[in-house]
Amino acid sequence: MYLSALLLTLGLLWPVGPPPPEILRGWQPPPGPYAAGHRGVDLAAPPGTPVLAPADGTVTFAGPVGGRGVLTLTLPDTGAPPLRTTFGPVTPLVRAGTRVRAGTPVARVDPGTHCRESCLHWGLRRGDRYLNPLALTRRAPSRLLPLTAGPGRLTAGPGRLTAGPGRLTAGPGSPPVRPGGR
């Protein structure tokens, strides 16, 4: 229901780039509300890099939090409560209350201690629930790569898949593999 509205609302833009930046650390949701985890993604970006609004929205916070600059962009028409995306460490270029279009520079990356190398931490929330901000981007399709494993043996490659003890084989010249069948 909200997915189509979300995809229409979001410009599917990365907040830094083009091209899409290197992801230095991915999203690792915590097992509980106060547990350790990584509640966003870290994107490679040198200090001074412009931070772009990834979608149309309203800046709902622009200022310091815990000694570092943070900017929050609330995205309209994304459900209730609406999605909010956050960026840090940054120097905001716009004030809270400003409506922006996708692609508008809203901040600049500040040097910080969040990453070993300079980065932009990008978060996404709906209410108190943290979400993976990479869900907002368009990424290249996944591709299977050749795989070889040890005991029990699993191999995959162009046109073939084989597996061990119960034996599953698929590929040119193999019998069809039926779900639940042998």
Side-chain angles (χ1 to χ4, degrees):
M1 171 176 159
Y2 294 122
L3 182 59
S4 58
L6 175 65
L7 292 175
L8 291 174
T9 301
L10 300 174
L12 300 174
L13 299 175
W14 288 86
V16 293
E22 178 185 356
I23 298 169
L24 300 177
R25 184 174 176 200
W27 186 65
Q28 299 165 335
Y34 304 106
H38 193 241
R39 294 166 172 86
V41 295
D42 294 337
L43 306 175
T49 299
V51 177
L52 309 176
D56 294 353
T58 301
V59 175
T60 49
F61 182 81
V65 173
R68 68 181 189 149
V70 173
L71 184 129
T72 300
L73 181 66
T74 299
L75 310 179
D77 303 320
T78 55
L83 291 173
R84 293 176 297 157
T85 185
T86 59
F87 308 100
V90 297
T91 297
L93 300 176
V94 294
R95 294 175 187 236
T98 304
R99 290 186 178 170
V100 296
R101 305 284 298 170
T104 301
V106 293
R108 292 204 178 276
V109 174
D110 277 348
T113 58
H114 183 76
C115 298
R116 279 188 239 172
E117 44 190 293
S118 181
C119 75
L120 174 70
H121 179 81
W122 181 24
L124 178 66
R125 293 177 76 172
R126 180 182 302 283
D128 291 335
R129 185 172 170 216
Y130 290 91
L131 303 169
N132 184 351
L134 294 180
L136 303 180
T137 63
R138 179 175 302 167
R139 291 178 284 174
S142 298
R143 295 186 350 202
L144 295 177
L145 300 175
L147 170 72
T148 303
R153 198 88 181 127
L154 171 65
T155 63
R160 77 172 197 269
L161 170 67
T162 61
R167 200 87 190 130
L168 167 67
T169 303
S174 320
V177 178
R178 293 184 210 113
R182 291 185 182 244

